Amino acid sequence: QVQLVESGGGLVQPGGSLRLSCAASGNGFAFTAMGWYRQAPGKQRELVATDTSAGRTNYVDSVKGRFTISRDNAKNTVYLQMNSLKPEDTAAYYCNVKAFRLGFLYEYWGQGTQVTVSS
């Protein structure tokens, strides 16, 4: 099994910054794509940013230029640096990890961390 430990959410004023972290662990797993999704109340979960194992990144249009995804492969950790936060960024943020083991691809979700942008 893979365990994901998220941290870094909280309350921030508009224009502020937060950094989310997600550390993955699991014996025998090779982590491939790692990313972040978010879900606001009454809305569907949406992709925020992903980072493939080859280093390609992808962002939803609404966060381009403000959010940066990065990863430390030695620590199996993915980060989301969020700058210039807006009230519409308020949501529960979920880490998403895809991992190979014995020829099979698995997908795992973190427990979620709340980000609230409000004055």
Side-chain angles (χ1 to χ4, degrees):
Q1 274 287 24
V2 169
Q3 291 188 333
L4 302 178
V5 179
E6 298 179 10
S7 62
L11 172 64
V12 65
Q13 292 186 343
S17 298
L18 285 174
R19 190 172 88 147
L20 306 182
S21 299
C22 174
S25 61
N27 288 331
F29 285 89
F31 299 103
T32 59
M34 304 179 81
W36 294 91
Y37 288 69
R38 66 186 179 187
Q39 188 168 18
K43 295 187 176 182
Q44 288 188 332
R45 189 172 295 189
E46 68 169 353
L47 169 71
V48 178
T50 59
D51 186 314
T52 70
S53 59
R56 287 188 301 175
T57 58
N58 182 48
Y59 298 90
V60 66
D61 285 347
S62 60
V63 307
K64 287 180 179 178
R66 300 188 298 121
F67 291 12
T68 302
I69 189 169
S70 61
R71 61 193 284 174
D72 184 336
N73 289 324
K75 297 180 179 179
N76 293 325
T77 300
V78 62
Y79 306 94
L80 186 67
Q81 177 67 43
M82 303 184 293
N83 298 327
S84 302
L85 282 160
K86 303 176 181 180
E88 51 263 44
D89 295 317
T90 295
Y93 284 70
Y94 297 90
C95 176
N96 176 272
V97 169
K98 295 178 175 61
F100 275 105
R101 185 175 184 272
L102 300 178
F104 291 91
L105 181 64
Y106 300 87
E107 182 176 36
Y108 296 93
W109 292 91
Q111 79 279 8
T113 184
Q114 180 66 34
V115 172
T116 302
V117 185
S118 175
S119 55

